[in-house]
Amino acid sequence: LGLFANFKGLSLNSNAGQGVGPMGLAPAHAAAWPPAKTAQKRVMFLLSDTGGGHKASAKAIKGALDILYPGKFTCEIEDMWTDHGKWPYNQMVPGYQWLARYKVGNWMWKLLYQTSQIPPNRWLTGQLAHAANGEAFEAYMRAYAPDIVVSVHPLCQDVPLRILDRMGGGTRKVPFVTVVTDLGSASTLWFHKKVDKCCVPGDVCEKIALRKGLKPHQIKKHGLPVRQGFWEAGNRRQTSALTKTKLGLQLVPTVLVMGGGDGVGPMQAIAANVGEKLGALEGKYQMIVVCGKNEQVAKSIKAAVWPSNINVVVKGFVSNMDDWMVAADLMVTKAGPGTIAEAAIVGLPCMLSGFLPGQEEGNVPYVINNGYGDFSRDPKKISAKVTEWLADAQVVSTMSEAASAIGATHARATKEIAREIAELVDL
């Protein structure tokens, strides 16, 4: 990923434009780090910011710790590869973003993903990663001196566990928790036999964990951690009209089109086709397009001319996604695990428009088999299905109930994972 990012000209310096020093700190903050040791338990969340779900999960768990155990924890959320890794490892984020955005990149990602699942390759890449980055990672971890380490990324198990062994004089003394943020399928890199607890979102990941040698007592099945706004959002489906009013929306059937935090996928083509189909129907409709960080697509959709019976609302990156999902009657989205779990919580039917090969493939049957959505890459077929659903309120209601049936598990997950963490540090 790092080599590819440099080749594409996405990033040409050793710190991916982060402006950080040897400890991964911006100069303005270096004097205040590490924080002074207090009675609070120190939690170190480790991730690579490849996709928004990993950091969102860490923030959600931190929020749950703050609510359930006020004043008991202080948390550090760290992109260990970008801030402390050496070239090319510190280029993974821009490399991943390119691969996720474009079709040819998706095929290259599929190759990378599949080869990473082969045991000899997994061992060799682990050895190389540790040799190149172990010293810098260890300096950071020793300086912070965590009471517990929580990984929310598949590439943050092997090297940190080796370092914690050394920090403990050959035997790890700091508890280690993996929180799997994939859903219907998952990379084998998530599952390390030496962790204390591995929190998985469901049966599929539990089976992979067992197959990779984890013991049943290590595996905790809680659902997928979600943002705080979704913890109680399952109770808001019946008050969708109030949420529409709060957001300044019209009280008409509404479809939400989105492509994740980075705004990936053919959103413009999907929006155009959905708008055309809805424009041919009688009555008024509404389409919300959340473009994330994709400013170019947002600008194009705002400039487009839409049928007179459709109210089109275009948003960039939003922090209140729970409100927009509650306001919608159905959603078109890529098959990201966090989005799918959040949709289930609010009882929102999903038309899936794409998935990243590898870890997202299993999310498609997860939605279809649980009865709250369908899948197509073709914008014309997507728009036909959307209009078919909106024309039949009973179909939408049935799918909404199916989504809610599994959503309750995800709504509880974040607090349950926080309790697992607290238990390991005797709180």
Side-chain angles (χ1 to χ4, degrees):
L1 285 175
L3 289 168
F4 186 76
N6 273 232
F7 176 74
K8 294 299 296 181
L10 297 172
S11 179
L12 298 175
N13 62 55
S14 62
N15 282 308
Q18 300 298 311
V20 296
M23 290 300 295
L25 300 166
H29 303 292
W33 198 95
K37 192 71 173 176
T38 68
Q40 291 179 311
K41 299 293 185 180
R42 292 189 175 189
V43 184
M44 175 182 282
F45 289 94
L46 295 179
L47 56 88
S48 174
D49 202 12
T50 49
H54 303 292
K55 184 175 286 186
S57 294
K59 289 181 176 179
I61 298 167
K62 176 187 180 300
L65 289 170
D66 290 341
I67 290 171
L68 295 175
Y69 307 94
K72 299 293 185 182
F73 287 97
T74 182
C75 299
E76 175 102 334
I77 298 175
E78 187 69 7
D79 182 338
M80 56 182 276
W81 295 100
T82 297
D83 290 347
H84 308 285
K86 295 185 177 179
W87 188 91
Y89 296 93
N90 56 12
Q91 307 295 304
M92 286 196 290
V93 173
Y96 178 87
Q97 289 172 343
W98 194 93
L99 293 174
R101 189 178 292 267
Y102 300 104
K103 187 173 181 179
V104 64
N106 280 200
W107 285 108
M108 295 180 71
W109 171 256
K110 184 175 183 177
L111 177 62
L112 286 170
Y113 181 90
Q114 290 178 339
T115 55
S116 74
Q117 307 305 295
I118 301 171
N121 288 353
R122 192 164 62 243
W123 176 85
L124 178 59
T125 54
Q127 294 295 109
L128 291 173
H130 183 264
N133 305 289
E135 184 177 350
F137 289 173
E138 183 169 348
Y140 165 69
M141 295 177 74
R142 285 186 181 276
Y144 187 70
D147 294 296
I148 187 168
V149 176
V150 181
S151 166
V152 290
H153 195 280
L155 298 181
C156 296
Q157 272 69 235
D158 183 63
V159 176
L161 282 166
R162 295 193 204 189
I163 292 169
L164 290 173
D165 281 345
R166 287 200 298 274
M167 288 171 60
T171 303
R172 177 171 57 86
K173 296 179 175 64
V174 177
F176 193 101
V177 178
T178 295
V179 179
V180 178
T181 61
D182 286 326
L183 186 57
S185 52
S187 167
T188 57
L189 296 172
W190 279 110
F191 307 102
H192 198 293
K193 291 187 287 186
K194 291 187 176 181
V195 302
D196 294 286
K197 292 183 181 181
C198 180
C199 298
V200 298
D203 296 342
V204 172
C205 291
E206 180 184 36
K207 290 177 182 177
I208 299 173
L210 290 169
R211 193 169 69 242
K212 296 308 298 179
L214 275 74
K215 304 299 182 185
H217 73 270
Q218 294 174 287
I219 304 168
K220 306 296 179 181
K221 188 163 55 174
H222 292 303
L224 201 74
V226 295
R227 292 168 283 190
Q228 185 175 348
F230 287 93
W231 297 352
E232 308 296 335
N235 301 324
R236 297 172 57 197
R237 171 53 53 188
Q238 303 305 317
T239 60
S240 177
L242 293 176
T243 305
K244 281 186 170 79
T245 300
K246 183 180 80 170
L247 295 172
L249 301 173
Q250 296 179 6
L251 301 180
V252 297
T254 300
V255 57
L256 171 63
V257 179
M258 56 183 291
D262 292 324
V264 300
M267 283 191 299
Q268 190 170 346
I270 291 170
N273 278 272
V274 170
E276 181 182 350
K277 280 284 189 179
L278 293 178
L281 299 178
E282 294 184 1
K284 288 189 173 295
Y285 294 89
Q286 190 161 236
M287 179 169 63
I288 306 164
V289 187
V290 177
C291 300
K293 300 172 185 176
N294 198 327
E295 296 178 2
Q296 182 178 351
V297 168
K299 184 178 180 180
S300 297
I301 294 175
K302 285 180 180 179
V305 177
W306 300 96
S308 59
N309 67 327
I310 304 174
N311 180 43
V312 178
V313 178
V314 182
K315 308 296 291 186
F317 188 87
V318 300
S319 58
N320 60 332
M321 185 52 70
D322 52 308
D323 288 334
W324 296 101
M325 284 194 185
V326 169
D329 296 291
L330 58 89
M331 176 170 65
V332 181
T333 181
K334 68 183 282 287
T339 302
I340 288 171
E342 291 167 349
I345 291 171
V346 301
L348 183 62
C350 296
M351 183 66 203
L352 302 179
S353 58
F355 58 84
L356 193 62
Q359 72 269 29
E360 289 184 355
E361 288 185 36
N363 297 339
V364 174
Y366 180 88
V367 168
I368 294 174
N369 295 341
N370 281 298
Y372 71 106
D374 207 341
F375 168 77
S376 176
R377 293 188 186 275
D378 186 342
K380 292 186 179 298
K381 291 181 179 179
I382 290 169
S383 61
K385 183 63 71 173
V386 166
T387 52
E388 175 189 325
W389 287 347
L390 284 180
D392 192 334
Q394 184 56 51
V395 168
V396 174
S397 177
T398 299
M399 289 194 294
S400 179
E401 291 175 4
S404 296
I406 62 170
T409 298
H410 300 305
R412 297 190 299 265
T414 313
K415 288 183 178 179
E416 291 179 352
I417 293 168
R419 293 188 182 100
E420 296 282 4
I421 293 169
E423 183 181 281
L424 283 174
V425 293
D426 299 322
L427 286 180

